[in-house]
Amino acid sequence: MKPIEVFKALSNESRLQILHWLKQPDLHFTPHEGIDMNKIGVCVSQITDKLNMTQSTASQYLTILQRAGLIKTQRIGKFTYYRRDEAAIAEIAEYLKQEI
């Protein structure tokens, strides 16, 4: 994980909001096609709807978070699901604690 990439990813309010929602997906989303959101993740269309923006913009935000290592994806059929990478988030928290 590159801290600079993580900080760039976190420098946008909508991307921070996505991470917040994915922390407790059951509070913020309705399950998509019976998927366990805590294990599999949340469908991009659900995140797009909640952000109230185009799917291309939401997908771009999710790609930035994924490249920074903050979220993981899983493809099931024609849908892509996103969830937080808790180990990576703990790693960046530890970095902040130790280095800054």
Side-chain angles (χ1 to χ4, degrees):
M1 175 184 321
K2 296 179 182 177
I4 291 297
E5 293 303 315
V6 171
F7 297 140
K8 286 179 185 177
L10 297 175
S11 69
N12 176 282
E13 189 174 342
S14 293
R15 292 191 295 263
L16 283 172
Q17 188 65 59
I18 291 167
L19 286 175
H20 172 76
W21 291 333
L22 293 178
K23 185 174 184 177
Q24 296 178 299
D26 293 331
L27 294 178
H28 303 285
F29 301 98
T30 303
H32 181 257
E33 298 195 0
I35 295 291
D36 182 341
M37 294 182 294
N38 292 299
K39 288 184 179 180
I40 303 298
V42 176
C43 183
V44 65
S45 63
Q46 295 170 281
I47 295 168
T48 299
D49 291 345
K50 191 129 176 109
L51 285 172
N52 195 29
M53 57 180 55
T54 65
Q55 184 165 346
S56 64
T57 301
S59 292
Q60 184 179 31
Y61 286 170
L62 290 162
T63 298
I64 291 168
L65 291 169
Q66 182 182 9
R67 285 186 185 148
L70 297 170
I71 61 174
K72 295 179 177 185
T73 64
Q74 184 169 345
R75 184 105 176 145
I76 299 176
K78 63 181 180 175
F79 299 104
T80 302
Y81 296 89
Y82 296 85
R83 64 184 168 88
R84 288 168 42 123
D85 185 334
E86 295 299 338
I89 291 170
E91 183 180 330
I92 198 65
E94 187 61 30
Y95 172 84
L96 286 170
K97 197 165 133 181
Q98 297 296 322
E99 302 295 329
I100 297 179

